[in-house]
């Protein structure tokens, strides 16, 4: 478990140091979707997985986890989804592509350029979560997991922060490229898993 870094204050000449126990014995992984639709509040769907180093545990998310997150979003949103994805290797796997092709009537995917975190609103969500846990001195991995889940839950009830993540990308919701000189986002749907 690599501790997050954050700024703090201390007496002049005394650098505050927080000791952390543990040796990379676990990790917390997050997957999420920021969902936007003109005229409606923004939504955040997420999943959190804790890896403690056991042999029977997966280290991160698999394609089935992403599929389940997409299906959960589809059920709750109740309409077609246009997903804008980055090029994470897991997003490009054959089973996930087959799932997308099998559900083409309600699911379409647009790929972002190879490395474009500045165009991805969900990166803003991760930044907000990491900023809050930066000064957390957790005694174990469970405390970090609880803090991450608590912050993500708070973000779900603050759609203005999710809107701010979209505004930070410079993308415009609902506009077509011919209507605006800026890049545009498809009219509705999640913006990344």
């Amino acid at each position: 478990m690599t501790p997050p870094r954050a700024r703090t204050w201390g007496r002049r000449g005394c650098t505050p140091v927080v000791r952390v126990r543990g040796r990379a014995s676990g990790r917390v992984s997050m997957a999420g979707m920021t969902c936007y639709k003109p005229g409606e509040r923004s939504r955040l769907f997420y999943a959190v997985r804790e890896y403690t180093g056991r042999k029977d545990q997966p280290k991160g998310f698999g394609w089935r986890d992403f599929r389940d997150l997409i299906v959960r979003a589809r059920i709750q949103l109740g309409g077609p989804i246009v997903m804008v994805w980055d090029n994470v290797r897991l997003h490009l796997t054959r089973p996930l592509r087959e799932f997308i092709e099998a559900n083409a009537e309600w699911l379409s995917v647009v790929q972002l350029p190879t490395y474009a975190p500045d165009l991805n609103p969900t990166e803003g969500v991760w930044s907000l979560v990491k900023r809050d846990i930066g000064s957390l001195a957790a005694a174990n991995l469970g405390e970090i997991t609880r803090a991450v889940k608590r912050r993500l839950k708070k973000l779900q009830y603050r759609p203005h922060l999710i809107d701010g993540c979209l505004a930070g990308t410079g993308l415009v919701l609902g506009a077509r490229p011919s209507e605006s000189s800026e890049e545009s986002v498809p009219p509705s749907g999640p913006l990344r898993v």
Side-chain angles (χ1 to χ4, degrees):
M1 160 173 54
T2 304
R5 292 185 179 196
R7 292 179 177 248
T8 186
W9 63 273
R11 293 179 185 245
R12 183 174 288 177
C14 297
T15 304
V17 177
V18 178
R19 302 279 179 222
V20 178
R21 292 182 287 165
R23 288 189 211 132
S25 60
R27 74 172 72 158
V28 178
S29 300
M30 303 177 284
M33 302 169 74
T34 52
C35 305
Y36 303 94
K37 189 171 186 179
E40 294 186 19
R41 74 177 181 90
S42 302
R43 307 276 300 269
L44 173 66
F45 296 95
Y46 66 88
V48 177
R49 171 162 289 158
E50 184 179 288
Y51 172 68
T52 57
R54 294 189 197 131
K55 290 182 181 179
D56 61 336
Q57 276 185 317
K59 287 187 178 180
F61 289 95
W63 73 271
R64 287 183 183 92
D65 299 312
F66 285 111
R67 178 200 61 197
D68 295 345
L69 188 62
I70 294 167
V71 169
R72 192 173 81 207
R74 161 84 163 124
I75 291 168
Q76 290 187 23
L77 294 173
I81 295 176
V82 178
M83 239 176 0
V84 181
W85 259 0
D86 53 11
N87 285 320
V88 172
R89 186 175 39 146
L90 192 57
H91 294 171
L92 306 173
T93 60
R94 180 179 295 170
L96 204 48
R97 283 190 316 226
E98 290 171 356
F99 169 74
I100 291 166
E101 290 168 7
N103 295 291
E105 68 274 357
W106 61 267
L107 179 62
S108 46
V109 175
V110 178
Q111 293 290 136
L112 284 173
T114 302
Y115 184 73
D118 52 329
L119 295 176
N120 192 340
T122 308
E123 294 296 333
V125 171
W126 304 147
S127 176
L128 290 170
V129 171
K130 290 176 185 177
R131 183 183 318 158
D132 279 359
I133 66 168
S135 59
L136 175 68
N140 58 34
L141 190 61
E143 285 185 30
I144 295 173
T145 305
R146 283 189 298 279
V148 166
K149 286 181 178 180
R150 188 173 34 250
R151 181 58 180 158
L152 286 167
K153 188 66 156 172
K154 284 182 181 180
L155 286 173
Q156 281 185 321
Y157 291 103
R158 291 172 175 79
H160 63 281
L161 291 176
I162 300 169
D163 289 339
C165 293
L166 178 64
T169 65
L171 299 174
V172 179
L173 183 63
R176 298 283 178 221
S178 59
E179 297 172 7
S180 172
S181 61
E182 299 181 48
E183 294 190 34
S184 66
V185 175
S188 67
L191 288 177
R192 184 189 182 244
V193 170

